[in-house]
């Protein structure tokens, strides 16, 4: 059966979503994930205060492209009026949906009354959500956590009350705010929310999905409508095609070749330059190289050169050299 968000977004059977991640899920990264078959994506989270003040960093995050659809703009904030205005501004950018972040655990968000902080005040969360729903003609969805801490795991109540004020889907990260990203994600409460007979909207599970095996096992075990993958896709956009192939055929796809790793890394780099300009594009891409080539022997020397390089031709030349080296290794392995 097809999973639908509102009347307008049909995600097919058991969709895979790319989680919104600050400093990661920008257009260059979303491009390579889309190429690997992700079903829906979100922008990095956008500050409502930044948007209404027209801050460059916030407004740039509203950039979306036709090939990315369906895509949601995710907003966060602590003030209800600011969130209403941010919703109106985001709607004008033309996404397919608006997503509210009630899950971010980091101090400078949660301790300012935004993100996961709202899990401590459900009445306020409900009022804010209602205001956002009433400020747009687009479907509104929410991403949250199990609760603030082990003593207040209130997502069951949150799901019911947010559905009642009009949200069209809910993504739940299987940790509390106090856990941050430590320990293991616990999906048992996500399953309980999904099994609640009152819940009619799609429930997506998130947290620790970093392999085909986990995606397949948790799909069955926790009965969610789809899976949202975050950190498991960093440096590994292939996870989307691998999981989808397994769901379709019951067989494993071979992992990407070393040559393909370089090619996708190069595409990510080129898109980064295109969207951010040379200086920022070169600088911000540095955090991705180690992820693309994690666990590959003799990569350290190339990585040192890539993070020191400052101009585009030099970086492309190092990537060419790396691809040639990998290609040679792969040919030798076949002959052996």
């Amino acid at each position: 059966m097809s999973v639908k968000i509102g009347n307008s977004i049909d995600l097919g059977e058991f969709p895979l979503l790319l989680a919104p991640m600050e400093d990661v899920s920008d257009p260059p990264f979303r491009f390579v994930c889309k190429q690997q078959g992700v079903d829906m994506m979100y922008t990095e989270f956008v500050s409502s205060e930044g948007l209404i003040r027209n801050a460059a960093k916030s407004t740039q995050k509203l950039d979306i492209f036709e090939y990315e659809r369906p895509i949601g703009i995710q907003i966060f904030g602590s003030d209800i009026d600011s969130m209403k205005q941010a919703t109106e501004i985001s709607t004008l950018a033309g996404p397919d949906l608006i997503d509210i972040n009630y899950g971010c655990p980091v101090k400078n968000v949660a301790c300012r009354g935004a993100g996961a902080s709202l899990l401590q005040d459900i009445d306020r969360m409900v009022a804010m959500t209602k205001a956002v729903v009433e400020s747009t003609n687009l479907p509104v969805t929410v991403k949250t956590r199990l609760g603030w801490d082990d003593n207040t795991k209130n997502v069951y109540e949150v799901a019911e009350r947010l559905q009642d004020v009009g949200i069209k889907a809910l993504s739940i990260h299987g940790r509390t705010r106090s856990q941050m990203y430590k320990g293991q994600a616990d999906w048992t409460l996500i399953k309980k929310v999904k099994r609640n007979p009152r819940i009619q909207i799609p429930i997506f599970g998130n947290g620790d999905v970093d392999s085909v095996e986990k995606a397949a096992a948790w799909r069955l075990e926790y009965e969610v409508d789809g899976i949202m993958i975050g950190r498991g896709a960093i440096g590994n956009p292939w996870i989307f095609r691998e999981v989808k192939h397994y769901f379709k055929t019951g067989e494993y796809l071979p992992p990407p070749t070393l040559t393909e790793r370089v090619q996708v890394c190069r595409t990510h780099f080129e898109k980064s330059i295109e969207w951010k300009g040379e200086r920022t594009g070169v600088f911000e891409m540095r955090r991705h190289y180690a992820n693309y080539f994690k666990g590959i022997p003799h990569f350290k020397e190339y990585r040192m050169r890539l993070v020191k390089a400052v101009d585009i031709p030099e970086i492309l030349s190092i990537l060419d050299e790396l691809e040639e080296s990998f290609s040679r290794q792969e040919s030798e392995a076949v002959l052996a």
Side-chain angles (χ1 to χ4, degrees), residues 32 36 237-238 260-269 292:
V32 296
Q36 300 301 328
W238 301 277
E260 188 179 5
R261 284 181 181 278
V262 182
Q263 288 164 350
V264 172
C265 179
R266 186 189 288 113
T267 300
H268 191 164
F269 171 71
Y292 275 113

Side-chain angles (χ1 to χ4, degrees), residues 75 102 106 109 113 169-170 199 211 240 259 287 293-294 306:
I75 56 174
Y102 292 138
V106 300
V109 173
L170 178 65
I199 294 296
S211 67
F240 297 107
T259 310
R287 67 169 78 102
F293 304 104
K294 196 183 277 178
L306 284 165

Side-chain angles (χ1 to χ4, degrees), residues 61-289:
K61 288 180 182 175
L62 299 182
D63 282 3
I64 53 178
F65 300 90
E66 279 305 309
Y67 62 78
E68 297 184 302
R69 296 191 185 281
I71 186 163
I73 290 175
Q74 190 189 67
I75 56 174
F76 75 97
S78 57
D79 180 78
I80 292 176
D81 277 339
S82 299
M83 286 290 279
K84 284 172 72 168
Q85 289 180 62
T87 302
E88 290 162 5
I89 295 165
S90 301
T91 300
L92 292 172
D96 298 284
L97 61 87
I98 304 292
D99 188 76
I100 311 172
N101 180 312
Y102 292 138
C104 181
V106 300
K107 210 170 179 177
N108 67 354
V109 173
C111 294
R112 289 183 183 165
S117 170
L118 276 299
L119 285 161
Q120 298 176 103
D121 187 347
I122 300 182
D123 289 346
R124 186 170 174 76
M125 181 196 275
V126 170
M128 183 179 283
T129 306
K130 187 171 188 284
V132 168
V133 168
E134 289 170 355
S135 302
T136 183
N137 59 343
L138 296 171
V140 173
T141 62
V142 161
K143 181 163 192 277
T144 190
R145 289 183 167 233
L146 303 178
W148 180 255
D149 57 27
D150 280 345
N151 302 317
T152 56
K153 290 185 178 176
N154 48 14
V155 73
Y156 192 87
E157 180 191 347
V158 163
E160 287 191 345
R161 293 187 63 186
L162 295 188
Q163 177 181 266
D164 290 348
V165 293
I167 71 163
K168 302 300 184 191
L170 178 65
S171 302
I172 305 169
H173 181 104
R175 287 183 174 85
T176 61
R177 186 271 165 177
S178 60
Q179 279 181 277
M180 302 294 283
Y181 294 98
K182 298 187 184 82
Q184 286 187 313
D186 174 10
W187 285 44
T188 50
L189 203 47
I190 304 176
K191 179 178 182 174
K192 194 178 171 195
V193 171
K194 178 59 199 167
R195 282 193 153 183
N196 178 353
R198 272 204 61 205
I199 294 296
Q200 302 298 313
I201 58 174
I203 301 295
F204 302 122
N206 172 232
D208 293 353
V209 177
D210 55 11
S211 67
V212 171
E213 290 81 0
K214 275 189 194 170
W218 293 5
R219 175 184 185 176
L220 291 175
E221 189 177 346
Y222 298 110
E223 302 171 13
V224 289
D225 294 295
I227 287 175
M228 179 181 274
I229 299 174
R231 290 174 297 161
I234 297 174
N236 184 27
W238 301 277
I239 193 167
F240 297 107
R241 77 173 185 201
E242 288 169 359
V243 170
K244 290 179 99 168
H245 183 81
Y246 185 83
F247 285 167
K248 202 171 177 181
T249 65
E251 294 171 0
Y252 290 99
L253 264 184
T257 62
L258 296 178
T259 310
E260 188 179 5
R261 284 181 181 278
V262 182
Q263 288 164 350
V264 172
C265 179
R266 186 189 288 113
T267 300
H268 191 164
F269 171 71
E270 286 166 350
K271 288 288 173 187
S272 192
I273 302 300
E274 200 178 293
W275 187 62
K276 301 175 186 181
E278 180 169 350
R279 192 170 171 275
T280 310
V282 165
F283 178 74
E284 292 193 356
M285 190 62 196
R286 287 173 182 170
R287 67 169 78 102
H288 292 285
Y289 296 126

